[in-house]
Amino acid sequence: MRQFDTKSKAIWTVVGAIGALLAVSALAFSLSSARSGATVAYADPIPSVTSLPEVRGEEYAVLTAPPHVPDPITRNHATRVIVELETIEQDMELAPGVTYNMWTFGGTVPGSFIRVREGDLVEFRLRNRHDSTVPHNIDLHAVSGPGGGAKASLTMPGHETVFEFRALHPGLYVYHCATAPVGLHVANGMYGLILVEPREGMKPVDREYYVMQSEFYTDSGFNEQGHHPFSMERALAENPSYVLFNGHTEALMGENALGANVGETIRLFVGNGGPNLASSFHVIGAVLDNVYPEGGTVANHNVQTTLVPAGGSAITEFRVNVPGDLILVDHSIFRAFNKGALGTIAVSGEDKLGIFSGQLDNRPYDPPTAHQH
Amino acid sequence: MVRLAALLLIFPLPLTSAAQAGVEGAGDPRAGLAAAAPTAVVRGGSYVPLYSPESGAVTVEPFRMDRYPVTRGDFVAFVASNPRWRRSQVPGVFADSRYLSDWSGDLEPGDRLDAPVTHVSWFAARAYCTWVGKRLPRVDEWEFAARADETRTDAMGDRSHKARILQLYTQRRTPLPPVGSTFRNLYGIHDMHGLAWEWVLDFNTVTAADDSRGGDRKDGQLYCAAGADGATDREDYAAFLRYAFRSTLQGTTTSAVLGFRCAADLE
């Protein structure tokens, strides 16, 4: 807004200087008043980085495996945050009895959750485990710089690379491997989320969870038992055999369901690793009170289904009002029913009959009689 | 160091130590064994590299290449005859600190003598090949020979063969199994895919970008080093993996999954 005001003032100065020339000044006035009108579209300022916050002290980032999220940041100043992340290649399950050679950040799919604060100077140390077969790197969408860090972090097996970036923008960001061929590295499981908490912090909630959707292209049908390799053909056709939350058909099902109690507030950090499909993210049995679409800072409210693009995210917040299971799905629904995109939040507590009754009756009713036709 | 390696390629100055090593090893019966490692003749031809000037074909002259990667057993003979290439004595400018780090001592590779030697630098690999009277294969030679399957000199136009190679790469395991564990191609060469990565003489002349999607151009080379942009076959994922791996290397680099084999000109 500041830039706009300056420009407007300058125009008025010009108007004053040529005030004696009536015709000209009238023209100038009409132009300037159009430009200084009260309503301006697309008027949000584009911030400039004039001064970086002072970095005080240093700490090691606590990384968590999904569905867990590191504790909120309590610092009120920027610091140097050291992130140590290791890429690990290993066979892992996609479903019970189905294995795939996963490439991971930190040994899990999705990779470790990273939490820093706006203004932090992040020292990123990427290690590629000695028994890895290929080089890896990392592109964090939170980074302002070439490749999101990919260029600076290309790491061969048995090596460690280090680069630094300033977390300029608050929000929830995807990170992923970007080594050639990038599609293969992502298809094999190399993605995760980094949260840059705004300087002001985030409103406390009762529970925070990390849920990330992604799809897998095996040379097999869904749930076909055994070890299966990547299918180039399926990947090019964008026709996955699996669409999953947190890398496994059962990652958020049964005893792995996310827990909550009636009345609690839940914040889901939702990501989509892709590599190809956008997600129609939906929680069956709940309305999302707050959604920060695409992981940005503007809230939408009372949302049923939010679109999470491949390589994008959403922060969703809602209160669980009644007991029972809430089901997470990709509402592009064949993916949920046939390809595994299912999760559960198991809500415990007392019934709230004023909000939801459950079934009250189940009775036959008479068909219409013939003479009514 | 990359530059130095490139210079060595263009002006193949023998490394002093390697040249001396050849003399030292001459009388060693084990050197004879290593030199006698079976080779296969690769009839020349042309092929289109993954990154190619103007996407054109490159001609490869006929050459000989080892049928198997150099093994731990072969390499212990080399370091026995050439003390300066022992783990405790190799200078840092010729090998990084992980050189032969999976051995228990200078002359003790432990078991798995038939497995490919790994944790060797380009300088060491090059010195070994010189010692046995050979040289490292050039990248075009290696890539050309690697296009063969059991029955065809160039199987890479076959999608199912491409898929098979990619599968071999992603099924690799450490510790590495003995040489000869993966398929023998038309030329009689084993283990081109699916055992270990292999050094080539000019490993650093063509590289995939460190960020595979960008538009980097390196040193004004003819290729665009973006992963896909500039590539001649966007579906040859196995080749992308090889080029990406080579792009991480320096002459001193060693890795648990990187070995080598030797080649020679046809007389």
Side-chain angles (χ1 to χ4, degrees):
Chain A
M1 216 52 192
R2 197 178 310 127
Q3 284 186 333
F4 179 80
D5 289 345
T6 309
K7 187 179 275 180
S8 140
K9 190 185 285 180
I11 289 167
W12 278 109
T13 308
V14 171
V15 170
I18 61 175
L21 302 169
L22 208 61
V24 176
S25 73
L27 179 60
F29 181 78
S30 71
L31 287 174
S32 66
S33 64
R35 303 209 48 178
S36 62
T39 58
V40 177
Y42 308 110
D44 282 7
I46 298 173
S48 59
V49 182
T50 47
S51 65
L52 294 167
E54 182 198 356
V55 172
R56 282 160 43 200
E58 82 174 29
E59 62 187 45
Y60 283 79
V62 174
L63 307 182
T64 57
H68 303 292
V69 178
D71 289 340
I73 290 169
T74 53
R75 270 186 289 113
N76 61 1
H77 61 90
T79 193
R80 170 184 291 272
V81 180
I82 298 164
V83 177
E84 292 183 325
L85 194 53
E86 185 176 43
T87 55
I88 298 167
E89 302 169 5
Q90 58 192 359
D91 287 348
M92 292 172 71
E93 273 196 347
L94 291 170
V98 181
T99 56
Y100 184 83
N101 187 235
M102 297 275 205
W103 296 353
T104 73
F105 283 107
T108 58
V109 175
S112 308
F113 196 102
I114 305 166
R115 190 169 195 153
V116 301
R117 180 182 179 275
E118 180 184 357
D120 281 348
L121 183 64
V122 181
E123 178 182 323
F124 208 100
R125 301 176 183 172
L126 188 68
R127 290 179 180 163
N128 189 358
R129 209 165 76 169
H130 290 87
D131 60 0
S132 291
T133 59
V134 296
H136 298 294
N137 63 9
I138 192 165
D139 168 351
L140 301 115
H141 290 180
V143 169
S144 303
K151 200 174 160 55
S153 62
L154 184 64
T155 310
M156 68 169 311
H159 277 232
E160 176 183 51
T161 57
V162 184
F163 71 101
E164 290 179 355
F165 71 93
R166 185 74 77 149
L168 294 177
H169 299 87
L172 181 62
Y173 298 92
V174 167
Y175 66 77
H176 63 93
C177 184
T179 308
V182 59
L184 181 65
H185 286 258
V186 176
N188 284 352
M190 301 199 78
Y191 38 75
L193 290 177
I194 176 170
L195 173 69
V196 181
E197 276 198 34
R199 275 190 298 259
E200 301 79 11
M202 299 179 80
K203 175 171 46 74
V205 292
D206 295 311
R207 292 169 190 270
E208 293 182 329
Y209 290 116
Y210 170 19
V211 175
M212 195 157 190
Q213 181 175 322
S214 59
E215 71 268 10
F216 293 87
Y217 300 85
T218 63
D219 73 343
S220 58
F222 181 77
N223 258 350
E224 203 176 308
Q225 296 292 290
H227 185 79
H228 296 285
F230 168 77
S231 165
M232 182 87 178
E233 193 176 348
R234 273 186 177 274
L236 283 173
E238 304 189 12
N239 175 27
S241 29
Y242 294 85
V243 181
L244 303 175
F245 292 125
N246 289 3
H248 193 288
T249 55
E250 308 299 313
L252 300 174
M253 301 298 285
E255 61 186 19
N256 300 321
L258 305 176
N261 296 313
V262 168
E264 287 184 334
T265 51
I266 305 219
R267 179 179 288 136
L268 295 183
F269 294 107
V270 183
N272 185 0
N276 289 318
L277 304 182
S279 170
S280 308
F281 184 76
H282 177 79
V283 181
I284 300 177
V287 174
L288 305 174
D289 292 298
N290 303 325
V291 173
Y292 298 85
E294 298 160 12
T297 48
V298 176
N300 195 357
H301 302 292
N302 307 319
V303 173
Q304 57 191 307
T305 300
T306 191
L307 192 64
V308 187
S313 71
I315 301 171
T316 72
E317 298 170 347
F318 52 99
R319 190 177 296 277
V320 287
N321 292 308
V322 300
D325 283 351
L326 302 175
I327 308 298
L328 314 181
V329 295
D330 179 343
H331 214 297
S332 303
I333 206 71
F334 277 70
R335 302 173 189 169
F337 198 89
N338 291 81
K339 297 190 172 185
L342 286 170
T344 309
I345 300 175
V347 184
S348 318
E350 297 287 309
D351 284 333
K352 299 284 182 187
L353 298 180
I355 296 176
F356 183 71
S357 70
Q359 189 174 74
L360 296 176
D361 202 353
N362 179 353
R363 57 201 173 201
Y365 73 105
D366 295 334
T369 53
H371 72 266
Q372 284 175 323
H373 283 284
Chain B
M1 191 52 76
V2 173
R3 297 274 184 181
L4 173 58
L7 285 173
L8 287 169
L9 161 70
I10 298 161
F11 309 104
L13 308 166
L15 292 174
T16 311
S17 52
Q20 289 175 354
V23 177
E24 286 172 22
D28 188 320
R30 285 170 299 190
L33 285 176
T39 60
V41 173
V42 179
R43 296 182 304 277
S46 69
Y47 86 111
V48 179
L50 182 66
Y51 297 105
S52 177
E54 290 139 23
S55 300
V58 167
T59 301
V60 176
E61 297 299 325
F63 68 102
R64 304 186 73 91
M65 190 150 80
D66 285 355
R67 290 173 184 263
Y68 302 98
V70 173
T71 65
R72 293 154 67 90
D74 294 335
F75 207 77
V76 76
F78 169 64
V79 295
S81 297
N82 300 278
R84 70 186 62 208
W85 286 104
R86 290 176 190 175
R87 193 174 73 175
S88 62
Q89 294 176 48
V90 70
V93 292
F94 289 146
D96 69 23
S97 62
R98 303 281 303 159
Y99 177 71
L100 298 180
S101 59
D102 57 343
W103 291 20
S104 52
D106 267 354
L107 299 173
E108 290 133 43
D111 55 2
R112 301 189 303 109
L113 291 177
D114 291 339
V117 66
T118 58
H119 282 301
V120 288
S121 67
W122 178 88
F123 293 103
R126 192 173 175 279
Y128 176 95
C129 290
T130 304
W131 181 61
V132 297
K134 299 178 187 172
R135 60 172 171 80
L136 284 170
R138 299 181 187 94
V139 65
D140 281 330
E141 291 172 335
W142 198 100
E143 289 283 324
F144 181 82
R147 297 178 77 82
D149 69 357
E150 290 90 336
T151 58
R152 296 169 288 187
T153 53
D154 188 352
M156 294 312 292
D158 177 354
R159 271 194 164 180
S160 67
H161 182 66
K162 270 183 208 167
R164 174 195 186 195
I165 301 300
L166 192 57
Q167 192 177 333
L168 281 170
Y169 284 3
T170 55
Q171 285 178 344
R172 287 189 303 198
R173 296 292 177 273
T174 52
L176 299 173
V179 299
S181 308
T182 67
F183 76 89
R184 173 187 192 272
N185 72 14
L186 179 74
Y187 305 112
I189 299 172
H190 293 256
D191 305 322
M192 292 298 278
H193 303 285
L195 194 57
W197 302 112
E198 295 181 10
W199 281 111
V200 291
L201 190 62
D202 46 348
F203 66 93
N204 56 353
T205 55
V206 183
T207 61
D210 29 26
D211 178 346
S212 71
R213 308 145 302 163
D216 275 357
R217 285 175 183 276
K218 287 188 177 172
D219 304 332
Q221 293 281 1
L222 299 164
Y223 59 92
C224 174
D229 192 18
T232 54
D233 182 354
R234 295 186 183 204
E235 290 185 29
D236 193 351
Y237 273 28
F240 280 114
L241 290 172
R242 291 195 298 275
Y243 279 78
F245 190 89
R246 287 179 198 132
S247 76
T248 65
L249 299 175
Q250 299 183 329
T252 54
T253 304
T254 74
S255 161
V257 292
L258 176 59
F260 71 102
R261 73 179 76 213
C262 303
D265 296 336
L266 268 188
E267 286 109 32

